[in-house]
């Protein structure tokens, strides 16, 4: 399907972790489209964040879709727990396990949307054989693990190539970008063909009374 109107997915990695419920409520009120949750296991990436219990606890704080970015290995044993916690979209990295197609089917078997995440050094070819099975492709524009890193420009070409591939397929597949997205890089991502923008630092900077303006700035 062609590029859709841009959706903003604040990454709660940059929120106040001592007040995640109110933070999710605040970005929901401020006009976010999705809530992006970064799940890190301390060995697939060098950081450790939240498990399914936290996602479940947050679920009642927003009616927006929960976009769960799994940076964990293995993936399959934990998929049911994130489904049960209230995930709407579940994305994972192909490097996390040998059976990417099986994991996609597992996520979809629960009636959830499946996404595949490409690290900066992961080639487009990794997604091509399964593109038609996916609901979302997520291009990492930083190395996963931490918020506040600089956008890696070379990923714009990957976004543009994916835009062409998705349009050629004619299926409804979201094209999401994650990492270093601010009002300037957002514009370039959308120009390259992205239609979902994840942003942590750029949304949560300045405190809750800035969130609406921060989100608006990302829409360009
Ligand atoms: C990084 C995460 C991102 C991160 C983005 O591993 O996947 O979602 O929170 O943070 P910013 O927007 O600050 O680069
Ligand atoms: Zn993420």
């Amino acid at each position: 399907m062609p590029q859709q109107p841009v959706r903003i997915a604040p990454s709660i990695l940059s929120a106040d972790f001592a007040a995640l419920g109110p933070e999710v409520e605040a970005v929901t009120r401020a006009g976010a489209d999705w809530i992006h949750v970064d799940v890190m296991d301390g060995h697939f990436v060098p950081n450790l964040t939240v498990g399914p219990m936290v996602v479940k606890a947050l679920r009642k704080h927003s009616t927006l879709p929960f976009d769960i970015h799994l940076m964990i290995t293995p993936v399959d044993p934990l998929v049911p727990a994130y489904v049960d916690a209230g995930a709407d979209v579940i994305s994972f990295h192909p490097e996390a396990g040998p059976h990417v197609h099986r994991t996609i089917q597992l996520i979809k078997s629960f009636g959830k949307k499946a996404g595949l995440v490409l690290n900066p050094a992961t080639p487009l070819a990794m997604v091509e054989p399964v593109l038609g099975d996916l609901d979302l492709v997520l291009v990492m524009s930083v190395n996963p693990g931490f918020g506040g890193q600089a956008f890696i420009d070379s990923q714009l070409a990957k976004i543009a190539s994916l835009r062409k591939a998705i349009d050629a397929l004619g299926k409804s597949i979201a094209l999401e970008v994650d990492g270093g997205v601010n009002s300037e890089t957002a514009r370039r991502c959308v120009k390259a063909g992205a239609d979902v923008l994840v942003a942590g630092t750029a949304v949560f900077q300045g405190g809750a009374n800035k969130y609406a303006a921060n989100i608006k700035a990302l829409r360009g």
Side-chain angles (χ1 to χ4, degrees):
M1 218 151 77
Q3 190 172 8
Q4 299 299 295
V6 68
R7 282 148 289 172
I8 306 296
S11 161
I12 61 167
L13 191 62
S14 298
D16 176 359
F17 263 50
L20 282 179
E23 288 278 65
V24 165
E25 288 173 15
V27 287
T28 300
R29 273 198 308 271
D33 297 290
W34 294 1
I35 302 295
H36 184 84
V37 182
D38 290 302
V39 175
M40 307 185 187
D41 67 359
H43 57 103
F44 184 71
V45 290
N47 199 0
L48 193 56
T49 58
V50 299
M53 289 173 70
V54 175
V55 175
K56 194 169 199 163
L58 291 175
R59 188 59 280 190
K60 59 181 178 294
H61 291 271
S62 179
T63 55
L64 295 178
F66 271 23
D67 176 33
I68 308 294
H69 176 189
L70 296 179
M71 287 160 273
I72 63 172
T73 182
V75 177
D76 294 13
L78 278 169
V79 165
Y82 286 96
V83 169
D84 181 58
D88 295 283
V89 185
I90 299 179
S91 300
F92 66 99
H93 290 248
E95 295 86 354
H99 304 297
V100 169
H101 183 271
R102 176 182 289 154
T103 303
I104 294 168
Q105 300 310 320
L106 176 66
I107 294 166
K108 289 169 70 169
S109 75
F110 293 103
K112 303 302 173 188
K113 294 193 186 325
L116 197 62
V117 191
L118 301 180
N119 276 335
T122 304
L124 190 63
M126 288 294 277
V127 76
E128 276 167 354
V130 293
L131 187 59
D133 296 298
L134 291 167
D135 299 293
L136 175 144
V137 180
L138 170 50
V139 174
M140 289 306 301
S141 41
V142 299
N143 287 296
F146 302 95
Q149 304 179 77
F151 186 87
I152 301 171
D153 284 341
S154 59
Q155 300 310 301
L156 288 166
K158 196 188 284 176
I159 295 167
S161 301
L162 274 163
R163 179 79 267 150
K164 282 202 191 104
I166 290 169
D167 289 354
L169 262 184
K171 288 194 169 182
S172 172
I173 303 168
L175 181 46
E176 184 175 40
V177 189
D178 184 4
V181 173
N182 55 37
S183 56
E184 187 264 326
T185 55
R187 191 175 43 76
R188 292 157 71 204
C189 290
V190 172
K191 198 170 167 208
D195 51 17
V196 185
L197 304 176
V198 177
T201 307
V203 167
F204 286 95
Q205 64 192 356
N209 59 358
K210 291 278 193 307
Y211 296 169
N214 291 345
I215 289 170
K216 189 160 179 273
L218 292 170
R219 294 191 196 280

